[in-house]
């Protein structure tokens, strides 16, 4: 059938557009990221009760209990922040691409969900390109805190869908045959239930969901009940392991780091040939690295067996204090920063991450061209890492905890790939502009890592995740403890 501009689709989110029909793990994410470990553990403890209510036919009671425990007493702005910065990544990983192919082929798209609308609206509208979202509404008191209850809407989901299509009938309904949220299906001309089978020959013509480039939150994996239990059981050991690793990293010499790392579960994979140390016949070089975590310069120094000073843009004072290598803080004033980098290069090697911030996904942000103006001795270094439980970066939280979360992982793995020093004809000495040199370095690093180049910047990332420009404010130690 040839589609017209009036063609429309109404799709259920859980179990249809998302492979997983149980939203429990997403409420666990909200509990952990918006409130903390205590609420996270409490919700996990109540999971058997919620499952028992489901089995006994009281799904609605169990669902309301889950909402109450996850949201009661949490500020509405914090819930919105988690929905903006954390949840989209996990929703995207759970997308049923066959259902998406059907959903995206219609002009007007409506998504129906049982979960509170605030949790899914940003993801559904920005990444799935939906026009409307129909879900439950949280009750928020006059102080801006969620009460944990949802508004009693006398209208059924079917009535709310019908209100959106006053003069027309939805062309297609996508829903589970036995789900209570699929009552809208009777309004649709045609109905489809999972699993969906689409024409594989036309996959290249399918509109892809908008990828999640920036995301925040500390948890690497979606906290299903079993994963959440494993995280909670590991937490005491992880904290102790992090303290031991950080303490040894502070007091031991640099040459001992690789041996200690292996002893305590870490692993560093080195590829390529690093340049020789600075000497009278071999001046220092500028190591230009892709930026994955604040550990990048430290891992590089560990591999080289010597302390290489690192240029920093905006890390916490605590991270600077415990860093085993010298750090050079930039001011974001171009002339001042240029002089600082020149002075350091005159002394020897230097590390810079021209993206200015980390990116977790397989993308490289736009490279600042400042480094290309200051030296022709440029050695690109591709950095990447893998962890099991906790991310070592944050845009919304306290950056001082970044190294602790990194070392709380049971087996953090880093990959360091040294590329050849740029030939003179690829530098500004041959007449190339600094932007051309920066773009070239970004391109070869992306090719080495299998990443994509983007034009996004640090400000873009922080506007998406935190609603600011990413500048760290240095508050008192007491206030930092309160934040934690």
């Amino acid at each position: 059938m040839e589609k017209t501009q009036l063609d429309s689709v109404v799709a259920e989110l859980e179990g249809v557009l998302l492979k997983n029909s149980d939203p429990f793990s997403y409420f666990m994410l909200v509990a952990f990221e918006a409130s903390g470990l205590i609420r996270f553990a409490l919700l996990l403890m109540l999971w058997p009760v919620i499952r028992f209510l489901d089995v006994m036919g009281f799904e609605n009671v169990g669902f309301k209990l889950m909402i109450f425990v996850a949201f009661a007493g949490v500020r509405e702005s914090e819930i919105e922040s988690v929905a903006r910065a954390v949840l989209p990544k996990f929703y995207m990983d759970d997308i049923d691409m066959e259902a998406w192919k059907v959903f995206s082929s219609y002009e007007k798209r409506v998504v129906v969900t049982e979960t509170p609308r605030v949790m899914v609206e940003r993801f559904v509208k920005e990444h799935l390109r939906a026009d409307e979202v129909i879900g439950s509404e949280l009750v928020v008191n006059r102080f801006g805190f969620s009460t944990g209850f949802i508004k009693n809407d006398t209208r059924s989901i079917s009535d709310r869908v019908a209100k959106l299509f006053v003069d027309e009938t939805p062309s297609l309904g996508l829903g589970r045959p036995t789900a209570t949220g699929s009552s809208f299906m009777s309004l649709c001309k045609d109905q489809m239930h999972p699993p969906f089978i689409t024409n594989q020959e036309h996959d290249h013509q399918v509109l892809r969901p908008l990828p999640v480039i920036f995301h925040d939150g500390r948890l690497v994996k979606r906290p299903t009940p079993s994963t959440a239990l494993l995280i909670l059981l590991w937490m005491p050991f992880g904290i102790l392991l992090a303290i031991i690793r950080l303490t040894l990293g502070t007091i031991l010499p640099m040459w001992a780091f690789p041996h200690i790392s292996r002893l305590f579960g870490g692993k560093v994979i080195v590829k390529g040939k690093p340049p020789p140390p600075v000497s009278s016949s071999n001046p220092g070089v500028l190591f230009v690295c892709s930026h994955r975590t604040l550990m990048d310069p430290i891992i590089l120094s560990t591999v080289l067996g010597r302390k290489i000073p690192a240029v920093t843009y905006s890390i916490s004072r605590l991270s600077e204090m415990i860093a085993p290598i010298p750090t050079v803080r930039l001011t974001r004033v171009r002339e001042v920063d240029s002089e600082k980098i020149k002075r350091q290069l005159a002394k020897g090697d230097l590390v810079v991450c021209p993206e200015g911030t980390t990116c977790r996904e397989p993308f490289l942000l736009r490279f600042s061209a400042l480094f290309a103006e200051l030296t022709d001795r440029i050695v690109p270094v591709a950095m990447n890492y893998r962890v099991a439980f906790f991310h070592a970066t944050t845009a919304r939280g306290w950056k001082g905890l970044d190294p602790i979360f990194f070392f709380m992982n049971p087996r953090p793995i880093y990959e360091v790939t040294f590329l050849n020093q740029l030939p003179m004809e690829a530098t500004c000495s041959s007449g190339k502009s600094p932007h051309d040199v920066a773009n070239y370095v970004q391109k070869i690093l992306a090719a080495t890592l299998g990443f994509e180049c983007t034009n996004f910047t640090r400000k873009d990332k922080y506007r998406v995740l935190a609603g600011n420009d990413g500048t760290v404010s240095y508050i008192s130690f007491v206030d930092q403890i309160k934040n934690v």
Side-chain angles (χ1 to χ4, degrees), residues 92-316:
M92 184 62 75
D93 289 345
D94 198 28
I95 285 291
D96 184 331
M97 287 306 299
E98 297 302 315
W100 161 254
K101 291 172 187 176
V102 178
F103 180 75
S104 63
S105 63
Y106 284 77
E107 183 67 24
K108 182 176 181 179
R109 310 179 189 103
V110 177
V111 172
V112 171
T113 177
E114 293 180 291
T115 59
R117 177 187 52 81
V118 67
M119 285 178 63
V120 305
E121 185 171 37
R122 186 181 181 95
F123 168 75
V124 164
K125 287 188 173 181
E126 292 193 3
H127 297 277
L128 299 189
R129 300 179 172 94
D131 299 293
E132 297 291 341
V133 180
I134 296 176
S136 56
E137 300 291 336
L138 290 174
V139 177
V140 179
N141 64 24
R142 61 194 180 96
F143 301 106
F145 291 90
S146 169
T147 62
F149 300 105
I150 55 177
K151 294 179 181 179
N152 291 321
D153 195 334
T154 56
R155 299 173 300 168
S156 66
I157 288 180
S158 181
D159 293 335
R160 294 168 68 184
V161 171
K163 187 178 179 181
L164 288 176
F165 296 89
V166 179
D167 299 322
E168 58 177 307
T169 301
S171 304
L172 179 65
L174 305 177
R176 292 170 289 167
T178 57
T180 56
S182 300
S183 59
F184 64 87
M185 296 286 280
S186 59
L187 300 173
C188 305
K189 294 178 184 177
D190 298 310
Q191 301 178 8
M192 289 181 68
H193 306 293
F196 302 98
I197 301 175
T198 57
N199 190 345
Q200 301 293 329
E201 295 180 3
H202 302 292
D203 281 1
H204 63 282
Q205 300 175 358
V206 174
L207 182 69
R208 307 293 296 180
L210 190 67
V212 177
I213 296 178
F214 302 123
H215 63 93
D216 203 31
R218 292 295 189 182
L219 296 183
V220 173
K221 297 179 180 178
R222 182 161 56 90
T224 60
S226 57
T227 301
L229 178 61
L230 188 59
I231 290 171
L232 286 174
L233 293 175
W234 172 255
M235 192 73 74
F237 300 101
I239 293 173
L240 179 61
L241 185 59
I243 293 172
I244 293 173
R245 285 167 167 170
L246 285 168
T247 302
L248 293 176
T250 304
I251 62 177
L252 292 178
M254 189 65 67
W255 60 264
F257 284 11
H259 309 289
I260 296 299
S261 174
R262 286 193 293 270
L263 182 62
F264 287 94
K267 183 179 181 182
V268 179
I269 301 170
V270 182
K271 301 176 182 178
K273 184 179 180 181
V278 177
S279 65
S280 56
S281 60
N282 184 52
V285 299
L286 181 65
F287 293 98
V288 178
C289 301
S290 56
H291 201 10
R292 307 303 282 171
T293 76
L294 84 169
M295 296 296 297
D296 294 338
I298 299 173
I299 298 297
L300 179 65
S301 293
T302 300
V303 170
L304 295 173
R306 58 186 188 275
K307 296 184 178 182
I308 310 296
V311 169
T312 64
Y313 288 87
S314 195
I315 66 172
S316 71

Side-chain angles (χ1 to χ4, degrees), residues 365-392:
L365 308 187
R366 190 175 74 195
F367 277 29
S368 167
L370 179 61
F371 74 90
E373 300 175 11
L374 305 178
T375 182
D376 298 326
R377 302 187 302 276
I378 298 171
V379 176
V381 184
M383 310 288 290
N384 205 359
Y385 82 114
R386 299 193 300 272
V387 288
F389 286 159
F390 307 107
H391 284 297

Side-chain angles (χ1 to χ4, degrees), residues 22 89 212 270 319 428 432 467:
D22 184 5
K89 162 65 178 174
V212 177
V270 182
S319 297
C428 292
K432 292 186 178 294

